[in-house]
Amino acid sequence: MLQLDHLQEQDSRSRLIAAAIRLIHAESYSAVGVQAICEAAGVKKGSFYHFFDSKQALVIAALGEAWRHHRAHILDPSFTPELTPRQRIEAMFARVYEVHTAIKDQTGHVLGCPFGNLAAEASTLDEPIRDRVLQAFAEWTVIIESAIFEALDSGELDQTLSAGTTATSLLSTLQGAILMAKVANDTSCLPAIGHEAVATLWGGVAD
Amino acid sequence: MLQLDHLQEQDSRSRLIAAAIRLIHAESYSAVGVQAICEAAGVKKGSFYHFFDSKQALVIAALGEAWRHHRAHILDPSFTPELTPRQRIEAMFARVYEVHTAIKDQTGHVLGCPFGNLAAEASTLDEPIRDRVLQAFAEWTVIIESAIFEALDSGELDQTLSAGTTATSLLSTLQGAILMAKVANDTSCLPAIGHEAVATLWGGVAD
């Protein structure tokens, strides 16, 4: 019985996290309240504070879960040793395009990057959230940087490039491209921007 | 006397616009209400609806004013025929860096791009605001594109590049770089990302 109670608690907590990710991604951090998250999760508002001290604490847990999902579905399958460094960057842009296009098809809206959205909306309002998004961007940059290091080592990239700056630039271009797609409510700019980012770094010749 | 009344009305309207730009830039669209904007502007809340139908209508007017300011202080001095196309793009990145660094020095925070922030926060919540930001980004892209066309005509850029995609990519990289600066609360990434964007397009040789 104790074990079942524990499972049910885990389930309520997981449902709150899933609802927070879904609602805040579709709307915004400020626009979504604890009440709406509880309703979407099917959890009584009175129980909320048994799991989380605040909306902020829930969103930080949600960012951790969103990051694990992002790694598993976008980054890990893109940054695999079976692909060349160039193909890994191309795969990242292609997967981001597929995910945002699927969300547009389902909801009618390009919702943007959950991390980029929170970075833009909450960085000046909420220090712990800024810090958690910064951590996600730092990890993301290191993953890109590992591919750039490999391409520098093999001599396929211009040796005067800094791996760190190149990785940060690629993540900036990707984040900016997702923002362009969101404001246009149209993901079609993403493949062209991804292709150009790779082509200007590696040269126009196909891999 | 009528003329003075008119001037005072103009003044209240301008103060509401200036307060909306300042507060929403520092916080967010959802976080700032009409009451706070009126207080910051020194305008009675009862008078607000004499000038604007809604917070949305004020923010659309504020975006128009912010765009005029952005053109006058960042884009027009950067995209001048006295500079080469490459120098114009470099000047845009340099001015954006200066502006955001000055804001950080004044407020303690990198506040991000007023247009990019609203694109990320409000695109799925508020169609007229999404539309107004999209218009600003479209005008911004055309200004960058004119420099890219010139560089393609003179043969200094790879002729296989599309001017439209290159301009959208540069604006994406700039928007993403400002977002990185905001989430790190540190503008130091901006010059390096700007330098790399220009160097990978034009080649590493100094202009």
Side-chain angles (χ1 to χ4, degrees):
Chain A
M1 216 28 211
L2 265 176
Q3 203 187 351
L4 275 177
D5 278 357
H6 175 70
L7 281 177
Q8 200 165 14
E9 284 204 358
Q10 276 298 324
D11 190 49
S12 295
R13 190 177 184 279
S14 299
R15 288 206 313 272
L16 286 168
I17 289 175
I21 293 173
R22 199 171 67 248
L23 292 180
I24 292 172
H25 195 202
E27 301 184 29
S28 76
Y29 179 51
S30 294
V32 176
V34 167
Q35 178 76 42
I37 295 168
C38 289
E39 281 170 19
V43 173
K44 284 182 189 148
K45 197 177 172 187
S47 309
F48 178 88
Y49 295 97
H50 174 64
F51 298 108
F52 299 103
D53 285 342
S54 60
K55 184 172 86 169
Q56 180 197 72
L58 166 60
V59 171
I60 286 171
L63 279 166
E65 185 55 36
W67 176 250
R68 279 185 288 279
H69 189 269
H70 179 67
R71 279 208 61 150
H73 293 268
I74 308 250
L75 299 181
D76 290 347
S78 302
F79 290 85
T80 160
E82 289 149 37
L83 299 179
T84 65
R86 177 180 180 149
Q87 286 171 333
R88 290 176 217 168
I89 307 297
E90 287 170 337
M92 175 179 69
F93 272 94
R95 281 176 187 272
V96 164
Y97 168 69
E98 282 163 22
V99 164
H100 289 274
T101 303
I103 291 170
K104 166 81 195 282
D105 290 345
Q106 281 161 28
T107 67
H109 294 282
V110 178
L111 302 183
C113 171
F115 305 100
N117 290 348
L118 275 167
E121 185 193 348
S123 286
T124 61
L125 296 172
D126 197 313
E127 193 67 11
I129 285 182
R130 180 180 78 73
D131 207 56
R132 184 62 191 85
V133 176
L134 179 61
Q135 189 191 325
F137 280 171
E139 288 181 47
W140 196 340
T141 305
V142 166
I143 291 167
I144 299 174
E145 198 177 3
S146 69
I148 303 298
F149 270 127
E150 206 175 305
L152 286 169
D153 278 349
S154 72
E156 66 192 88
L157 279 185
D158 175 356
Q159 299 297 305
T160 64
L161 288 172
S162 142
T165 301
T166 303
T168 309
S169 292
L170 280 168
L171 180 54
S172 296
T173 302
L174 178 59
Q175 282 294 326
I178 297 170
L179 192 67
M180 294 295 146
K182 181 169 183 173
V183 77
N185 199 30
D186 181 346
T187 58
S188 63
C189 64
L190 276 164
I193 294 172
H195 178 77
E196 176 153 320
V198 169
T200 52
L201 274 175
W202 269 272
V205 185
D207 196 34
Chain B
M1 216 29 210
L2 264 177
Q3 204 188 348
L4 276 177
D5 279 358
H6 175 71
L7 282 176
Q8 201 165 15
E9 284 204 358
Q10 276 297 324
D11 191 48
S12 296
R13 189 177 184 280
S14 299
R15 289 208 309 276
L16 286 167
I17 288 174
I21 292 173
R22 199 172 66 250
L23 292 181
I24 292 172
H25 196 201
E27 300 184 32
S28 76
Y29 178 51
S30 294
V32 177
V34 167
Q35 178 76 41
I37 296 168
C38 288
E39 280 170 19
V43 171
K44 285 182 189 147
K45 198 176 172 187
S47 309
F48 178 88
Y49 296 97
H50 175 63
F51 299 107
F52 298 102
D53 286 342
S54 60
K55 183 172 87 168
Q56 180 197 72
L58 166 60
V59 170
I60 285 171
L63 279 167
E65 185 55 35
W67 176 249
R68 279 185 289 280
H69 189 269
H70 179 68
R71 280 208 61 150
H73 293 268
I74 309 251
L75 298 181
D76 291 347
S78 301
F79 289 85
T80 160
E82 290 148 36
L83 299 178
T84 65
R86 178 181 178 148
Q87 286 171 332
R88 291 176 217 168
I89 307 296
E90 287 170 337
M92 174 178 71
F93 272 94
R95 281 176 186 273
V96 163
Y97 169 67
E98 283 163 20
V99 164
H100 289 274
T101 304
I103 291 170
K104 166 79 195 286
D105 290 345
Q106 281 162 29
T107 67
H109 295 282
V110 178
L111 301 183
C113 172
F115 305 100
N117 289 348
L118 276 166
E121 185 193 349
S123 286
T124 59
L125 297 171
D126 196 312
E127 192 68 12
I129 286 182
R130 181 180 77 76
D131 206 56
R132 184 63 190 84
V133 177
L134 180 60
Q135 189 190 325
F137 280 170
E139 288 181 47
W140 196 340
T141 306
V142 166
I143 291 167
I144 299 174
E145 198 177 3
S146 69
I148 302 299
F149 270 128
E150 206 175 306
L152 286 169
D153 278 350
S154 73
E156 65 192 89
L157 279 185
D158 175 357
Q159 301 296 305
T160 63
L161 288 172
S162 143
T165 300
T166 303
T168 308
S169 291
L170 281 167
L171 180 54
S172 296
T173 302
L174 178 59
Q175 282 294 326
I178 298 170
L179 191 68
M180 293 297 146
K182 181 168 184 174
V183 77
N185 200 29
D186 181 346
T187 58
S188 63
C189 64
L190 275 164
I193 294 171
H195 178 77
E196 175 153 321
V198 169
T200 51
L201 274 176
W202 268 272
V205 185
D207 196 34

